[in-house]
Amino acid sequence: MENVSIWSCFNVNGDVTEIEAIVSTPGLIALDRDDIVSVLEAEGESFVVTGTGFTLNAALDSALANVHVKRETITDLVIAVWCNDTKVQMTAFGAISEFTSTLAPEINVTWGVFSDASFGGKYKVVLIGTAKS
């Protein structure tokens, strides 16, 4: 692990300020502290990565490029999507569905959607997960 931080007594590889933003922001589909804790308390290496792009697919690809564990080892995952539009089209979420279909079938996935006008025309994807060591 290269950038280990502590969040709520958990060692997390990555920027834990992203976790605080998720649990403190009301969402269109909200995530709370319990959602994050349930992922981080799973046995293994915990991580948080982000990616941005002008499409949801580009933001997801950017986040995935920062994941330094093998996808097949991920056991628990939170996917948080930030956008600037409260009327985001559900068809934009096809990239997330496609990605999750490549993961182990027994993986626990929780996701949320947040709106922030400061994002302009961009999306941000935050992945919080635990992978088997």
Side-chain angles (χ1 to χ4, degrees), residues 4-25:
V4 178
S5 300
I6 303 290
W7 182 81
S8 194
C9 300
F10 296 100
N11 290 326
V12 181
N13 186 15
D15 183 2
V16 295
T17 60
E18 294 291 351
I19 297 173
E20 281 303 321
I22 290 168
V23 299
S24 65
T25 303

Side-chain angles (χ1 to χ4, degrees), residues 15-115:
D15 183 2
V16 295
T17 60
E18 294 291 351
I19 297 173
E20 281 303 321
I22 290 168
V23 299
S24 65
T25 303
L28 303 170
I29 300 174
L31 294 165
D32 62 22
R33 184 172 292 277
D34 290 341
D35 295 319
I36 306 301
V37 167
S38 70
V39 169
L40 298 180
E41 69 186 2
E43 189 173 326
E45 178 183 343
S46 297
F47 63 87
V48 57
V49 297
T50 62
T52 58
F54 286 104
T55 65
L56 182 53
N57 194 34
L60 178 61
D61 287 346
S62 176
L64 289 172
N66 294 315
V67 175
H68 298 293
V69 298
K70 294 179 182 177
R71 286 186 191 178
E72 61 270 14
T73 65
I74 299 173
T75 58
D76 296 86
L77 185 66
V78 167
I79 303 170
V81 176
W82 294 81
C83 57
N84 71 329
D85 188 357
T86 59
K87 297 178 224 149
V88 64
Q89 299 295 317
M90 289 308 291
T91 55
F93 289 89
I96 290 178
S97 177
E98 186 177 314
F99 160 65
T100 57
S101 72
T102 68
L103 301 172
E106 65 275 2
I107 189 171
N108 176 30
V109 177
T110 307
W111 61 284
V113 179
F114 302 87
S115 178

